Amino acid sequence: MATTLKANTSWSDAWQRCLAVAPEAFRDDRVLNLWNGTWQADGRALPATSPVDGSPIAGPPRLDADTAHQAVRASLDQHRAWRHIPLPERRARVAATLDALTQHRELLALLLVWEIGKPWRLAQADVDRAIDGVRWYVDGIDDMLGDGERTPLAGPVSNIASWNYPMSVLVHAMLVQALAGNAVIAKTPTDGGVSCLTLACALAAREGIPVTLVSGSGGQLSEALVRAPEIGCVSFVGGRDTGAAVATDVADLGKRHILEQEGLNTWGIWNFTDWDKLTAAIPKLFDYGKQRCTAYPRFVVQREAFDAFLAAYLPAVRTLRVGHPLAVEHPEDPYPALDFGPLINAAKAKELTDQVAEAIDRGAVPLHRGAPDPALFLPGQDTGAYVHPVTLLGPPPSSPLHHAEPFGPVDTIVLVDTEAELLAAMNASNGALVATLSTDDEATYERLAPQIRAFKVGHGKPRSRGDRDELFGGFGASWRGAFVGGELLVRAVTEGPSGERLPGNFPDYHLMP
């Protein structure tokens, strides 16, 4: 039977709901920028398409550099007023924002489906993690601020984040920063999420939260959002190339910073036999097509266990369901249960497909290549942004898949014969956010884990970014600046006692996890 779109979930349906919920922020067929406390019909609105099916959606209204500087100066004025608002009032306004986000939870999730291709389950989880995470801070902010001992920064916090978690990473950070007494600025990610962020910021602005939301290219806006003297802190989540440029700027300026960057997260297999446990873990590792900073795209496997590894891995990867996030048999059916949908855009899908083909041409061995299931797509839909799971053995050193994070559903396997080779292969990217070592022997794990250059190392289970009071950071080039999580997120965006040293990856200070 042919599939159809789930009832009341079209982009047109979502857009009309946005116009009804927040008419101040959405106008006709475009979104607005928010600065100086006002929604502004400025910037050049770029065309955009949904990764789900290639259909047109609202694009970002990109500002020029001069307007971005005006927005930053206006945010400083907001910051100077907000930092004197008593904590009980700040707490009440953030709590009211969370209530509004909860009220419009389904619309926010639907926007994430269309704008960045998240399946419904993961889109809802992104919204819920933002709301639940900030509520935890609302409940505990008094202790985190030391009953008034910690004070806001001298200027607003500037947020530049990747597109993959607009709510649980970006909106979460912004609301905690505001709760701590700072005005906040956010740049909408270039690749997607502008409407979801616009709706979330509209709900926050209604409660009096000093939010600035602007769109534009990094080249045009970085002078204002990173280097402007008004900025009190830069919070960045993204790739190493852009992150390195930001790191250089903030270091030269002595500016407070939190820079989370990519790394090649690895899963090692050494003297291991609990293969059922590994089989159960594999599908979860493909959530959102591995488009997340804590995805595991590399398996480093003891050669003598390779046959047992494949017997556990391949049946699991063959169960993965990839398709249109809103395609159902009948309009009233539940949302489809998918492991992932499209990548962020067709250009990324082509880039990754080309990298796979090039790696195979240079000697990598394809162990698995998934194929589309027509029953999981709409008839005749554009599928240019979809990449089905691929597993390669032995990516050649000349391939990007050998040393860099693919940010897509491509696994690579490297075989090793000694513990030294295992560690070298797991440390291929000069630092990572997470890693896992599967071994039956606790003593072997305790001996090898400290030598793995990842901030969090799991014993036979995946590690995540973490929520609430869980510390998060990275080693080497995967992180620069202050660590976050729990009280440390608040400490990173406030001033403490004179001479305080923030935990983080700084030239002369390192905190081991």
Side-chain angles (χ1 to χ4, degrees), residues 5 145 362 441:
L5 198 67
L145 291 176
R362 295 181 181 181
D441 182 42

Side-chain angles (χ1 to χ4, degrees), residues 66-148:
D66 289 342
T67 308
H69 276 287
Q70 293 180 47
V72 170
R73 287 191 288 270
S75 181
L76 178 60
D77 291 338
Q78 289 181 304
H79 180 82
R80 288 169 171 165
W82 178 253
R83 70 195 311 270
H84 297 296
I85 297 293
L87 178 57
E89 184 174 343
R90 297 202 307 265
R91 185 194 299 111
R93 293 189 189 185
V94 172
T97 299
L98 297 178
D99 290 342
L101 294 173
T102 301
Q103 180 183 352
H104 299 289
R105 165 181 181 263
E106 290 196 1
L107 176 55
L108 291 163
L110 184 58
L111 292 170
L112 291 180
V113 172
W114 281 108
E115 293 193 288
I116 63 174
K118 286 203 169 185
W120 181 251
R121 171 180 61 87
L122 298 179
Q124 282 191 309
D126 193 22
V127 177
D128 291 345
R129 283 182 60 196
I131 295 169
D132 295 343
V134 178
R135 284 198 195 280
W136 183 84
Y137 282 92
V138 168
D139 293 340
I141 190 63
D142 293 89
D143 291 339
M144 295 182 196
L145 291 176
D147 293 324

